Amino acid sequence: MSKKKEKVVLICDIGGTNVRFGLYRENQEGLVAFDGKYKCADFSSFEQVVERYFKDRKLTSLPQLCIIGAAGDIDEIQGKIIATNTPWIADTKKLMQTFPSIKQAQLVNDFALQGWALAEMTSNQYQPIFNAPKDVDLTRGKIVVIGPGTGLGTCLIMPNAISGQSIYTSEAGHSTIPYVSFENEQDQKLNEQVLDVIVSHYQNHGAKAITEHLVSGTGIVNIYHSLKDGKIPTDKKDKMPSEKIEKLAQESDKTALKTFDIFNAYLGAHAGTMVATTKTQTIFFCGGVMASSWIRSYLERTPYFKEQFIPRSGLTEAMKKVHIYASTDRDMSTLGAVVYAKQMIENQRYQEKRLQADQDMLRLLSSLQQFINHNCPAAKEPMKKVVAEVKKLQKRETGRNRE
């Protein structure tokens, strides 16, 4: 029996400035090593930068599968990602036409890879919040994944009887800013100040303020400058980085601490809305902001998150029972890419077995057809139609596997 050829998956991570490449091999242990990094602006097409990576790696055999992750608008019907801030479009059909060795290419929203990572995360990679139980099975039940990073990612994980889990991405960061109010009069005044500054700032730039403008690393910067300066600087160099604001808060700077009070309040309101609308019982926070041990600790020891998260008309008791966890890893997408690559390989192997079974059946039918032609002429035409129909189904299945 001939040895099966090892499946290799090309993993592409398209960012606003750079695109990274790595290879995952079927029997590989550990994470993907992204060994190719190129500036998007240096290439006129996605296919051109893929070709450059293959040449730089001096690959003797090209990958059979491909995962393309990007922060952008995914057109699943046309198989395209209109990636954010890049000069070209990632198109799976064009990629497979250019590189025939690639039999299947999948588009994945970059935040969906964070969701896929949960399937193989160990208990030392995340932390329970508010006394949630430890060592839970993150592959069971519905989970809302919320990632305040540079922006705000949100996805829903649903159980799937076939593959284990399904990931549904969203643009919840672009939702209308949730309603937040404070019983403390001074906090309420500061909240109103922040809202006025942020809403006016984005209106002046021809846009509408959204949840992401408060619940993200960018949101932390917006809140801080709204409190400190009464305006948000238009020049990036004039903005205080969120990491420095966090350091000031650790040093008990009052404005920085109040920044995180308001940030936690809006994070609680957004998380509560996601839980209530999806009827989940588990939240998993990820992203660069929540990876900070100080930010997680401050969220737990202050009331601002819970005061906005729990009170829900008719759902307050259910909200009290929600389990909350946070990743301690700033970048879960690499692990998520491995999980997704394994699933692609498994699916491809399954499809190959199905096609082989179809071919075996077709050979048997052909033998049966020859027997009938010689021994039962009356059944010749019906048998001919059966064989033709099986061939048609097989051709359709082969075409579907390349989509």
Side-chain angles (χ1 to χ4, degrees):
M1 183 181 291
S2 61
K3 186 178 179 181
K4 288 182 180 179
K5 185 178 180 181
E6 183 184 44
K7 298 289 186 187
V8 180
V9 185
L10 171 67
I11 298 177
C12 316
D13 177 22
I14 304 175
T17 304
N18 300 302
V19 55
R20 298 188 302 162
F21 293 100
L23 296 174
Y24 177 79
R25 300 184 181 279
E26 186 169 7
N27 301 312
Q28 178 176 320
E29 294 290 336
L31 300 178
V32 173
F34 284 95
D35 54 3
K37 183 177 179 180
Y38 307 91
K39 288 190 177 298
C40 298
D42 291 344
F43 299 87
S44 60
S45 70
F46 179 56
E47 296 72 39
Q48 188 182 71
V49 68
V50 171
E51 183 176 21
R52 171 67 179 276
Y53 173 68
F54 288 162
K55 286 182 177 178
D56 288 349
R57 280 295 307 271
K58 297 181 174 60
L59 297 178
T60 55
S61 61
L62 299 183
Q64 304 95 352
L65 303 167
C66 178
I67 298 170
I68 306 170
D73 182 18
I74 297 178
D75 185 337
E76 295 178 347
I77 296 174
Q78 296 297 323
K80 296 179 181 179
I81 288 183
I82 304 173
T84 306
N85 298 325
T86 57
W88 29 257
I89 293 173
D91 184 329
T92 57
K93 293 178 181 177
K94 193 173 179 182
L95 178 72
M96 289 187 289
Q97 288 170 357
T98 307
F99 305 100
S101 70
I102 299 176
K103 305 302 181 185
Q104 186 180 7
Q106 290 286 341
L107 304 176
V108 186
N109 178 278
D110 63 336
F111 193 74
L113 292 177
Q114 307 268 1
W116 282 110
L118 267 65
E120 292 196 9
M121 290 191 78
T122 59
S123 58
N124 64 346
Q125 292 176 292
Y126 63 88
Q127 175 184 320
I129 304 290
F130 300 122
N131 298 313
K134 297 180 180 180
D135 298 324
V136 293
D137 185 352
L138 295 175
T139 64
R140 298 176 64 86
K142 290 191 289 186
I143 303 175
V144 168
V145 184
I146 299 175
T150 303
L152 174 62
T154 305
C155 70
L156 175 65
I157 301 178
M158 294 280 287
N160 183 313
I162 297 174
S163 62
Q165 289 182 309
S166 295
I167 309 291
Y168 299 92
T169 56
S170 77
E171 290 295 340
H174 290 265
S175 60
T176 301
I177 295 171
Y179 175 74
V180 163
S181 64
F182 299 90
E183 292 184 7
N184 180 285
E185 186 176 341
Q186 181 61 25
D187 282 344
Q188 183 60 22
K189 285 182 178 179
L190 293 175
N191 177 48
E192 290 170 0
Q193 175 185 330
V194 167
L195 276 181
D196 285 344
V197 172
I198 291 176
V199 170
S200 297
H201 174 80
Y202 286 97
Q203 280 181 343
N204 292 338
H205 288 79
K208 182 179 179 179
I210 55 177
T211 302
E212 186 174 273
H213 296 150
L214 287 118
V215 186
S216 63
T218 301
I220 291 169
V221 175
N222 287 343
I223 296 168
Y224 178 79
H225 284 289
S226 298
L227 292 171
K228 183 175 181 294
D229 307 318
K231 64 178 182 179
I232 299 171
T234 54
D235 196 325
K236 187 176 180 179
K237 64 178 176 55
D238 295 328
K239 294 180 179 181
M240 176 79 75
S242 60
E243 295 82 4
K244 288 190 176 181
I245 297 170
E246 179 187 342
K247 190 172 186 302
L248 287 173
Q250 292 177 32
E251 296 168 353
S252 300
D253 179 271
K254 290 184 179 179
T255 303
L257 285 170
K258 190 52 60 180
T259 293
F260 282 98
D261 290 342
I262 294 174
F263 168 82
N264 285 339
Y266 280 97
L267 177 63
H270 175 67
T273 298
M274 293 299 100
V275 167
T277 53
T278 58
K279 296 182 70 175
T280 53
Q281 283 296 300
T282 304
I283 295 175
F284 193 95
F285 287 124
C286 61
V289 173
M290 299 305 294
S292 162
S293 59
W294 182 87
I295 290 177
R296 294 195 305 271
S297 173
Y298 192 72
L299 181 145
E300 285 190 284
R301 68 176 187 266
T302 56
Y304 293 94
F305 176 90
K306 274 193 168 182
E307 284 178 353
Q308 306 302 324
F309 176 78
I310 290 176
R312 303 275 155 176
S313 178
L315 288 176
T316 297
E317 289 306 310
M319 300 299 283
K320 291 178 182 178
K321 299 174 184 177
V322 174
H323 296 155
I324 304 176
Y325 303 90
S327 171
T328 56
D329 187 346
R330 288 185 175 273
D331 181 17
M332 291 162 45
S333 60
T334 303
L335 175 58
V338 169
V339 174
Y340 198 78
K342 288 179 180 178
Q343 181 171 310
M344 280 191 78
I345 291 171
E346 186 177 335
N347 290 342
Q348 190 73 7
R349 288 292 186 204
Y350 173 72
Q351 293 298 335
E352 287 172 353
K353 288 180 181 178
R354 283 189 59 185
L355 289 174
Q356 184 61 53
D358 289 345
Q359 290 169 0
D360 292 343
M361 182 177 65
L362 189 58
R363 277 194 293 271
L364 287 172
L365 285 173
S366 297
S367 298
L368 180 59
Q369 184 180 29
Q370 290 177 9
F371 176 82
I372 288 173
N373 289 346
H374 287 91
N375 299 283
C376 189
K380 181 178 179 180
E381 285 304 314
M383 190 63 197
K384 185 178 179 181
K385 289 180 180 179
V386 170
V387 173
E389 192 62 32
V390 170
K391 286 181 177 179
K392 189 190 299 182
L393 289 171
Q394 185 181 8
K395 185 178 181 181
R396 187 184 304 163
E397 190 68 26
T398 302
R400 187 181 293 122
N401 290 337
R402 281 191 57 81
E403 293 178 358

